[in-house]
Amino acid sequence: MSVAAELVDYDDVLAAYEPVMGMEVHVELSTATKMFCGCANQFGAEPNTQVCPVCLGLPGSLPVLNEAAVESAIRIGLALNCQIAPWGRFARKNYFYPDQPKNYQISQYDEPIAVNGYLDVPLDDGTTWRVEIERAHMEEDTGKLTHLGSDTGRIAGATTSLADYNRAGVPLIEIVTKPIEGTGERAPEIARAYVTALRDLLRALDVSDVRMDQGSMRCDSNVSLKLKGAEEFGTRTETKNVNSLKSVEVAVRYEMRRQAAVLQAGGTVTQETRHFHEDGYTTAGRSKETAQDYRYFPEPDLEPIAPSDELVDRLRSTIPELPWLARKRIQQDWGISDEVMRDLVNAGAVELVAATVAHGASSEGARAWWGNFLVQKANESGVELDALPITPAQVAAVLKLVDDGKLSTKLARQVVEGVLAGEGEPEQVMNDRGLALVRDDSLIQAAVDEALAANPDIAEKIRGGKVQAAGAVVGAVMKATKGSADAARVRELVLAACGQG
Ligand code: ADP
Ligand code: MG
Ligand code: ZN
C-alpha cells in the first residue's frame, strides 16, 4: 500500500481547508473495585482472576453502583468546569461482541453526569486555548481480546482469540469535547496539548493512573475538513485508540493530509472509524454504527443517580489548582529554568520533589535525587517514578543524613538502594549496612598507618615530596574502610603521616 503518495502537503491542506476536531478520551478510574461489583480493579493480574457473576454477566446477577466511581466522575466534571446533572439514569448499550460478556454495556448514554464545560489548555508558546467540553459520562470498560495468528494483531485473519474479563466492568469515564474549530495549522498541536492537559489534570485529581501505554487513558480523535469559510462541517473520521501523546498529534495531521487528498481527487470522505498505526498512518476500520444500532434503553437494574448539592459542594472543595498553574508557581519558588522544569515534569518528578521539600529537604537536593538517581532506578526496573518503593519523607531523611555529615553522596546512594530493597528506613539501612561516615580520626589514622606500612615504596615517595603518590594510599584506606571514611580527611592524614601536612 502506498501510503505517502495519497497525502497532500500540510501547507496545501491549510491553503484550502480548515480542520475541525473532536476528542473522545476514555479514562479508567483507579477505584479499588469495579463499577458494579466488588471485583478488584487492578491492571496486570492473571487473566480472568478478577471476575464474578456480575461482571461476567451471568444470569440472575445484579449490578451495585460503586459510589467512589460516581464521586470521581463528579470531581472530573467539576475540574472541567461542567454542570453536574442533578439526576440521571444509566442506559444499556446493546451489542454482541465477546469483549462484553453481558452483550450490553452499561453507559450513561443520553443522561451524562457532567455537561457543558471547558478546559483552558496551555500551549507551548505560553498562551492557552479553550477547549469546550460537551460531556463527561460514566460507563463500564469491556474485556480485553487478544487476537493471535494475524500479522496485525487484529481480528481479521486471526486463528485464535483470547478473552480476558479482568477489565470488564472497570469504571470508565468518557470525556467528549465540542467541535474544536478555528485552530488552523495548530490543530495537531492543540489536540496533543488538550490530551496532555487532560492527563495532567486527571493525575492531579488522583482519579486514574492515566497510563496511555497501559490503556488506562485512551484517545479517539475525530477530524474533518471544510473548505475555508464554509459554514457546514465536513464528514469526520474517528481514529481509534491513539496510544501516546505524540500519536495524537501525528494522527490528526495524517488525517488532515489524507482527507485533503480524497477531497481534492473529487471524492468524499467516508464517515468511519480508522485504526492508528504506530508508524504514523491510519487505515479504515468499520463504518460507524449509529445510535439506533445499539437499541439503547434505560438500565432497569440500577437506580438513577441523584447527587445532592451537599455532595457536589464537598467534592468541589477537593478540586486542586490546575497542575500547570501549580507548576508555574513551583518553578518560580525553586528558581529553575523551563528546561529543567520540563525534564522534571516528563520524569513525573514534580509532585515528588515538592513533597520531599515539604519534608524539610532543599529543593536542589530533592531535585537531584528524584531527577537523576531515582529516575534511573525507575527506568531500570521499568516502573513509574512514583511507584518506586521509597517515599518523599525517606528521600528527605537521606538528604538530612548527608547534610549532617553522616553520609557522603556516594554512601547515600547505597542507603537509598537499601531502602528500595525493602531494608527499612534510611537511618536503619545506614546502620545495618555500616555505611555511616567514620568521623573518628583515630579509626582513620589506624587504617592510614596500616596502608602506609603495607606500601613502603609509596610511603617513601610521599616522604620524598611526591605528594601525588598519596592517591594510591588514600584509595587503599577507602577500600579498607569500605568507603565510609571522608576521602579528603584521609588524604590530609596520609600527607601528615609522611611529613607533608
Ligand atoms: P460518536 O460516539 O459517534 O463518536 P461523539 O459525540 O461521542 O460521537 O463524539 C464525536 C466527537 O467528534 C465529538 O468530540 C464532537 O465534538 C466531534 N465532532 C462532531 N462532528 C464533527 C465533525 N464534523 N468534524 C470533527 N469533529 C466532529
Ligand atoms: Mg463516542
Ligand atoms: Zn465482578
Side-chain angles (χ1 to χ4, degrees):
M1 184 173 54
S2 67
V3 172
E6 301 162 8
L7 299 181
V8 170
D9 280 348
Y10 193 63
D11 288 343
D12 296 335
V13 178
L14 293 157
Y17 302 103
E18 285 179 36
V20 176
M21 301 185 290
M23 295 291 141
E24 296 170 73
V25 174
H26 285 90
V27 190
E28 284 178 356
L29 297 178
S30 50
T31 47
T33 56
K34 293 187 183 180
M35 190 83 176
F36 302 113
C37 63
C39 289
N41 170 19
Q42 210 159 39
F43 181 80
E46 279 287 300
N48 298 310
T49 54
Q50 296 173 343
V51 291
C52 74
V54 174
C55 54
L56 287 177
L58 300 188
S61 62
L62 287 172
V64 177
L65 183 60
N66 181 341
E67 258 176 60
V70 177
E71 294 193 0
S72 290
I74 294 174
R75 292 180 70 232
I76 291 170
L78 291 171
L80 292 170
N81 305 293
C82 289
Q83 288 155 251
I84 304 303
W87 193 86
R89 289 171 302 184
F90 282 97
R92 284 191 185 179
K93 176 179 181 177
N94 296 281
Y95 68 95
F96 182 79
Y97 197 63
D99 67 354
Q100 183 52 270
K102 295 203 291 277
N103 289 336
Y104 60 86
Q105 180 189 32
I106 304 180
S107 164
Q108 288 190 309
Y109 162 55
D110 54 356
E111 300 178 17
I113 186 97
V115 292
N116 276 333
Y118 62 88
L119 182 60
D120 285 329
V121 174
L123 303 181
D124 282 344
D125 67 0
T127 62
T128 59
W129 184 278
R130 176 163 292 191
V131 171
E132 313 251 14
I133 306 295
E134 183 178 301
R135 65 174 194 270
H137 72 252
M138 288 182 272
E139 57 190 39
E140 55 178 338
D141 209 345
T142 59
K144 187 169 172 46
L145 300 182
T146 305
H147 305 294
L148 304 178
S150 66
D151 310 338
T152 56
R154 299 189 190 286
I155 193 167
T159 51
T160 308
S161 293
L162 302 171
D164 174 10
Y165 294 122
N166 285 349
R167 202 179 68 182
V170 164
L172 210 58
I173 304 293
E174 180 176 354
I175 300 159
V176 182
T177 68
K178 294 187 179 166
I180 304 170
E181 298 177 72
T183 58
E185 62 173 347
R186 301 187 79 175
E189 178 201 348
I190 285 169
R192 176 194 173 129
Y194 165 70
V195 180
T196 307
L198 190 58
R199 182 198 61 174
D200 291 356
L201 179 63
L202 295 168
R203 192 178 278 155
L205 285 167
D206 200 18
V207 291
S208 167
D209 45 355
V210 282
R211 294 277 302 266
M212 292 186 90
D213 57 332
Q214 293 184 351
S216 56
M217 179 170 184
R218 316 194 276 271
C219 175
D220 303 339
S221 83
N222 293 268
V223 177
S224 67
L225 294 179
K226 58 176 188 175
L227 279 173
K228 276 195 143 175
E231 288 281 317
E232 247 175 75
F233 292 168
T235 303
R236 71 184 155 111
T237 59
E238 177 179 350
T239 303
K240 288 285 194 188
N241 293 338
V242 189
N243 286 331
S244 73
L245 296 170
K246 182 74 200 155
S247 301
V248 173
E249 187 168 342
V250 173
V252 168
R253 178 184 280 261
Y254 180 87
E255 269 305 287
M256 287 170 63
R257 297 180 60 195
R258 188 191 67 82
Q259 291 181 13
V262 171
L263 295 170
Q264 289 194 342
T268 51
V269 173
T270 315
Q271 177 158 353
E272 63 190 357
T273 59
R274 297 183 67 84
H275 296 299
F276 182 73
H277 299 261
E278 290 307 319
D279 315 354
Y281 62 96
T282 68
T283 51
R286 58 191 158 86
S287 66
K288 190 79 193 169
E289 292 85 354
T290 61
Q292 286 82 352
D293 295 331
Y294 289 122
R295 294 291 186 268
Y296 284 98
F297 63 86
E299 166 61 58
D301 289 339
L302 286 165
E303 280 182 60
I305 299 174
S308 66
D309 290 348
E310 294 76 55
L311 175 66
V312 174
D313 286 345
R314 179 172 72 70
L315 294 174
R316 198 186 302 279
S317 71
T318 68
I319 305 302
E321 183 182 9
L322 287 172
W324 44 95
L325 299 184
R327 265 182 230 143
K328 209 163 248 166
R329 192 171 42 71
I330 286 172
Q331 186 184 345
Q332 274 164 4
D333 282 356
W334 294 349
I336 56 176
S337 68
D338 290 353
E339 288 74 37
V340 171
M341 189 65 184
R342 195 171 312 143
D343 287 347
L344 290 175
V345 169
N346 290 341
V350 176
E351 282 74 22
L352 294 164
V353 173
T356 306
V357 171
H359 278 98
S362 70
S363 68
E364 251 174 340
R367 249 170 31 228
W369 278 101
W370 288 110
N372 300 315
F373 188 68
L374 289 168
V375 161
Q376 212 176 303
K377 290 283 152 196
N379 287 343
E380 280 167 18
S381 38
V383 297
E384 295 281 300
L385 198 54
D386 63 3
L388 283 176
I390 189 167
T391 62
Q394 288 171 326
V395 173
V398 171
L399 277 159
K400 180 149 189 336
L401 291 170
V402 174
D403 277 354
D404 291 349
K406 292 187 182 152
L407 288 175
S408 64
T409 301
K410 204 165 155 202
L411 291 167
R413 285 195 196 118
Q414 297 180 45
V415 170
V416 167
E417 270 166 2
V419 174
L420 291 172
E423 292 169 27
E425 292 299 315
E427 184 134 16
Q428 189 188 341
V429 175
M430 177 178 82
N431 293 332
D432 290 355
R433 288 196 178 191
L435 295 172
L437 280 177
V438 177
R439 293 268 115 197
D440 185 345
D441 269 0
S442 66
L443 288 177
I444 302 177
Q445 188 68 53
V448 167
D449 292 344
E450 231 170 80
L452 287 170
N455 297 284
D457 303 356
I458 302 177
E460 203 43 51
K461 278 189 194 158
I462 304 171
R463 285 198 191 92
K466 288 196 78 178
V467 291
Q468 60 277 32
V473 182
V474 173
V477 172
M478 295 305 290
K479 203 167 164 198
T481 57
K482 295 204 197 90
S484 65
D486 174 11
R489 183 64 189 145
V490 172
R491 187 181 164 80
E492 279 169 22
L493 292 176
V494 169
L495 293 178
C498 299
Q500 302 293 336

